[in-house]
Amino acid sequence: MAIAFTFPGQGSQAVGMGKDLAESYPEARRVFEEVDEALGEKLSKLIWEGPEETLMLTANAQPALMAVSLAAMRALESRGFSLKDKVGYVAGHSLGEYSALAAAGFVSIADAARLLRIRGNAMQSAVPVGEGAMAAIIGLEQADVETACAEAAQGAVCQVANDNGGGQLVISGARAAVERAAALCSEKGAKRALMLQVSAPFHSALMQPAADAMREALAGVAKNPPVVPVVSNVSVTPTSDPETIAARLVEQVTGRVRWRETVEWFGAEGVTTLYEIGAGKVLSGLARRINRDIAVANVGAPADVDAALASLG
């Protein structure tokens, strides 16, 4: 099939996201109610009213973004849309992989919310505040960035965490090593080497305690074959085997988010349109820079639901 659905990751959150979907579709509102019940708190109130600094916390942002993506999915489905019949693949950026899997029925919405709360807390607590860092490197070849990381490590962790495409790579690891690597990238000709305001060194080997926590958490939830294959962040291959999917989710905590390769893979497989399901338009922007032959569309508001249904048929 020529269509894939993608699901955004952390950084796409905004106060008020998904509220219009909940007001327009009872099915969407029920998603937020399910998440609230699963977490034992009114996350929906935080999503819609803020404060922003609390929503931005990793343990809140991750289940919140999943809730908005699944609310958009339920809005589509309430109008007769079938993921299995209309879409060839799903994929998500980092936490968005959980949203993609929930949309495809691998886990329930409630379990996805609890898993992402565990994931957020575990990632935050894996490294003491201030000891880790991440930096965005713009306009430098991947091989040069990897060389800079290796030179800067000096026995510490420093690695490429995200290959987002469009000339954007993110490095992650011990703060001093990342700072050294960013400086080396500038020397090697990077257009920009920007330290990021993040709370932990995500997608690096320093996240191993969080990977261990997710292995245990995933072992304890009911897992089903997804109705469409999920393209894994860490392997850039599609699978429908529940245990393989779970293993890749564990690897993802410390592994690289290979988003550029994912979009390139979609193009090679004949995907002609990517729909970004949920908050923001970050993935759509990245896709345009990676492969201009693939059309992009967004489903994050009631008007988007109408437009998507008209084009999906």
Side-chain angles (χ1 to χ4, degrees):
M1 298 181 77
I3 292 167
F5 274 17
T6 64
F7 296 79
Q10 202 163 337
S12 291
Q13 67 273 8
V15 173
M17 62 182 182
K19 188 174 184 182
D20 50 359
L21 285 170
E23 291 172 344
S24 299
Y25 292 94
E27 297 84 359
R29 177 171 285 277
R30 279 199 285 275
V31 170
F32 291 102
E33 291 169 351
E34 284 183 61
V35 170
D36 287 350
E37 185 175 351
L39 298 179
E41 64 184 70
K42 282 283 189 180
L43 186 66
S44 58
K45 187 176 190 297
L46 174 63
I47 296 170
W48 297 334
E49 300 177 14
E52 183 180 18
E53 59 269 21
T54 307
L55 179 61
M56 295 284 283
L57 296 174
T58 299
N60 293 328
Q62 294 198 18
L65 284 161
M66 183 277 298
V68 177
S69 289
L70 270 292
M73 283 299 306
R74 294 294 183 264
L76 287 169
E77 291 163 354
S78 74
R79 302 271 297 277
F81 171 79
S82 167
L83 187 72
K84 182 179 180 181
D85 294 339
K86 296 290 185 180
V87 174
Y89 306 99
V90 295
H93 191 285
S94 192
L95 84 89
E97 194 164 319
Y98 287 79
S99 306
L101 287 163
F106 170 73
V107 290
S108 68
I109 289 173
D111 280 339
R114 287 188 285 261
L115 286 168
L116 286 170
R117 172 56 58 81
I118 292 167
R119 183 178 184 268
N121 282 327
M123 292 172 83
Q124 186 61 64
S125 62
V127 179
V129 174
E131 291 189 11
M134 300 180 78
I137 311 299
I138 312 296
L140 190 64
E141 292 296 321
Q142 182 171 317
D144 290 329
V145 176
E146 290 180 339
T147 297
C149 286
E151 291 174 2
Q154 298 177 18
V157 171
C158 187
Q159 66 192 83
V160 175
N162 295 51
D163 178 3
N164 287 330
Q168 182 192 109
L169 293 156
V170 177
I171 62 176
S172 182
R175 175 170 293 277
V178 170
E179 289 171 346
R180 289 192 294 267
L184 283 170
C185 287
S186 293
E187 292 173 13
K188 291 175 183 289
K191 292 178 182 176
R192 293 187 73 189
L194 178 68
M195 298 299 293
L196 299 178
Q197 296 299 313
V198 295
S199 55
F202 303 127
H203 298 290
S204 78
L206 295 175
M207 290 286 107
Q208 188 58 49
D212 296 339
M214 292 315 299
R215 182 179 293 106
E216 181 178 346
L218 283 158
V221 299
K223 297 176 284 291
N224 308 299
V227 297
V228 296
V230 59
V231 181
S232 163
N233 279 190
V234 294
S235 67
V236 198
T237 54
T239 186
S240 296
D241 175 66
E243 293 309 317
T244 302
I245 291 169
R248 288 178 179 166
L249 287 173
V250 174
E251 292 174 42
Q252 187 219 66
V253 179
T254 57
R256 184 179 304 182
V257 178
R258 297 165 63 186
W259 197 253
R260 172 186 57 81
E261 294 172 79
T262 299
V263 175
E264 289 173 346
W265 186 91
F266 283 141
E269 292 298 310
V271 170
T272 56
T273 306
L274 293 177
Y275 285 82
E276 183 172 1
I277 311 298
K281 298 183 178 182
V282 171
L283 300 184
S284 299
L286 293 177
R288 286 189 185 97
R289 293 197 287 273
I290 297 165
N291 186 340
R292 290 190 173 275
D293 293 331
I294 300 178
V296 296
N298 299 84
V299 183
D304 300 333
V305 174
D306 296 335
L309 289 169
S311 60
L312 286 163

